[in-house]
Each structure stands twice: as structure tokens, then as C-alpha cells.
Amino acid sequence: MPSHSPMPRLSMLDLVTVRQGQSISAAIDTAVRTAQHVEQLGFVRYWMAEHHNMPGIASSATAVLIGHVAGQTARIRVGAGGIMLPNHAPLVVAEAFGTLQAIYPGRIDLGLGRAPGTDQPTMRALRRGRVESEEDFPREVQQLQQLLDDPRPGQALVATPGAGSHVPIWLLGSSLFSAQLAGQLGLPYAFASHFAPRLLHQALQLYRSTFRPSPALQRPYVMIGVPVVAAASDAQAEYLASSTYQRILGILTNQRGLMQPPVQGFMAQLDERARQAIRDFLAIGLIGGPQTVQQGLQALAAATQADEFMLVTDTFELDARLQSLDITAAAWAAAGAAASGGAV
């Protein structure tokens, strides 16, 4: 997993957001068109995240969507960021991702999280009496590794498909637990700083300090989630980002719903406590015009030494989203040229 630029490589995380007045089919089409667009921009991977019982997120059947997006693209890696392992038997995950790898060889990633990704009633419905918990996560990760590896002689449980597929496993986290586990198992690590940035630097330090080389990875490899809304000007980006602000406020107040159109001066309408809560959520977010985004990318690269940025870019209109990604990719290229001593 080399970095070919002085800047971290770029990838994208998509929640397959459902917008006000939009169908599920339209949300999925938006995801496909976005994936095709970032493939043309040279992004490394396009991940989707498992969530359940949330009206504004259509990525619950994550493996199904991965297959659909991979089938509508040609080169970009497509994967889960992530599958919430406590919700699933490792064998079922191995079979699903082994099948995807067989259809799209060398293009599938499997990111694993240890949270349920939903509320308690939905978690009970998903697990249907199974007793696995987050505390079982290390054991289940290692079981899944074995199921995706070459079968051992006499191995009783063999995933078919899955065995011998060697689908790359990533550990995801927003706390220190998965950082340490990823280091100990020698796996690549993705930190969810796009919604939980508080422990970012602590988690990266822990992962790197506990890392042990493994057959999967010889040296630490870090990806961080980065919220980005880029536009022609800082003011325009702030306006477009108000759709994201509304969604975050809904998350914080447990009033989740469909993504709403942008609202001029939205933050000014909130009390200081709400504004600060949104700012904390987006503490490493980059919202602005080309120069603002370029400076932000450079500062974040210097502060984290990340190998890869996984962008989270959602706007109400698809065209604004694609333009945001274009501006971000250009800012990233300019930052890389500056770091290399070339012309910006």
C-alpha cells in the first residue's frame, strides 16, 4: 500500500444518503455516479458503511451495494467502511466478500467495525438472540482472517466462496480499542475522524507504537476520515455545508431524517451550544474554497502523517457534490506539487 505522492492518497466514504424528495433508487444512482466520478479523478477506493434503521441512509445491505458499484466501475477498489462485525456471523461475511472478490478480483476491501451501527431494538432484530458482543470482536476478526486465508489441512469450517480469497481486512475505529488491535494484528487502520475526531492523534500514536508486521502488512498504514465541502468560494461552501450541519444536528438531537436542502445562514440561527457541538463533530472538516481546502489538506497531512484521506463529501445536489470533489482533487494535486517543490 505505497503512497506515491508527498500527500496522502485520496479515497471516498459514502453513506448513500437519501435526500428530501428523493427515492432510494435515486440515492443509489447518486452513489454510482459519484463512484464513477472519483474513479476518473484517480481515487484509490470507494467505501460504503453499514447502518440500519436510519431513514436518511440507504447503505444497510452493504455487500449488495458494493457489488452494484463495483459492477458500474472499472478500476477503483470498492469496499465496506465498514461491516459491523457483531451484527454478522464471520462465515456469512467471508462468503459474501469471497463472492465479491471472485466477481471483481483485486478490487474488494473489507473494513470491520465493532459497534452495532444502529439502535438497541434494531441490534436485537439483527442478531436474533445471538450472544456475540463487542468484546468478542478480536476473536471474530481472527476467525474471519482464517476463513479468507488458504484453508489449513483438516480445517472443518471452510468458506466457499471465501477461502483463499485473501480479501484485505481493515480495522475501523473511533476510539483506542481498534487502534491497538489493528497494531497487534498488523492490519491497516482507518480512524473515523469524520464524525469522532477527539481521539484521532492518540489513536494513531497507539496504532503505530503497537504495530507488529504481519503477512498482511509490513509497516503501519493509516487512513483517516475527512469531511470536505469545497466550492468556488468559502461563502458558497459554507452555504452548501448547511445540509451537513442540519444532518449532524439531527444526529446530536436524535432526530435523524432525510438530508435537507441548504439554508442560508443556518449556523447563525442556532444557539452557541448547538453551533459548538456541530463544530466539535466536524473538528477536522474542510469547508471552503480551493485555497482554504488546499491549506487544510496540507495541515492535516502534516499533523497526522496519514497514508490516505477518506473524504466524506455530501451536498444536497449531485452537481455540487461532484464539483466539490473536483475542487478537492485539484487542491490535493496542488498541495502535492508544493510539497515536492514543484509549481502549484
Side-chain angles (χ1 to χ4, degrees), residues 68-93:
H68 181 59
V69 171
Q72 299 293 314
T73 51
R75 300 176 307 278
I76 195 168
R77 299 189 67 90
V78 187
I83 293 293
M84 300 299 109
L85 192 52
N87 296 340
H88 310 279
L91 176 62
V92 174
V93 177

Side-chain angles (χ1 to χ4, degrees), residues 48-259:
M48 287 162 283
E50 177 188 350
H51 293 80
H52 299 279
N53 197 26
M54 296 181 187
I57 297 178
S59 54
S60 54
T62 317
V64 176
L65 281 178
I66 289 169
H68 181 59
V69 171
Q72 299 293 314
T73 51
R75 300 176 307 278
I76 195 168
R77 299 189 67 90
V78 187
I83 293 293
M84 300 299 109
L85 192 52
N87 296 340
H88 310 279
L91 176 62
V92 174
V93 177
E95 290 171 340
F97 280 79
T99 301
L100 288 167
Q101 181 81 329
I103 302 170
Y104 306 105
R107 293 183 56 206
I108 303 300
D109 292 328
L110 175 54
L112 300 174
R114 72 182 188 108
T118 189
D119 54 29
Q120 290 291 325
T122 309
M123 183 179 74
R124 287 193 291 272
L126 285 165
R127 298 181 185 179
R128 302 191 65 178
R130 289 173 61 234
V131 296
E132 284 82 354
S133 70
E134 294 180 25
E135 285 65 43
D136 295 299
F137 185 66
R139 173 181 57 80
E140 294 195 336
V141 169
Q142 290 173 293
Q143 182 183 358
L144 188 48
Q145 284 183 296
Q146 180 56 50
L147 288 168
L148 295 171
D149 202 350
D150 297 324
R152 298 169 180 167
Q155 183 173 318
L157 181 63
V158 178
T160 307
S165 63
H166 303 283
V167 177
I169 290 177
W170 293 65
L171 292 195
L172 319 180
S174 58
S175 66
L176 303 182
F177 181 93
S178 291
Q180 185 166 8
L181 182 61
Q184 291 171 344
L185 296 180
L187 293 173
Y189 178 59
F191 188 81
S193 39
H194 57 288
F195 71 85
R198 188 172 61 87
L199 296 175
L200 169 62
H201 296 286
Q202 205 174 337
L204 297 191
Q205 191 279 329
L206 181 62
Y207 167 64
R208 288 168 173 145
S209 66
T210 58
F211 183 85
R212 302 172 187 165
S214 73
L217 198 61
Q218 287 301 298
R219 58 183 63 86
Y221 192 94
V222 164
M223 178 196 295
I224 64 171
V226 184
V228 181
V229 177
S233 68
D234 288 357
Q236 178 68 4
E238 185 68 22
Y239 169 67
L240 295 174
S242 64
S243 294
T244 293
Y245 299 156
Q246 292 174 73
R247 178 162 69 179
I248 292 169
L249 188 62
I251 292 170
L252 295 172
T253 58
N254 200 29
Q255 296 177 333
R256 299 170 185 266
L258 306 183
M259 180 170 244

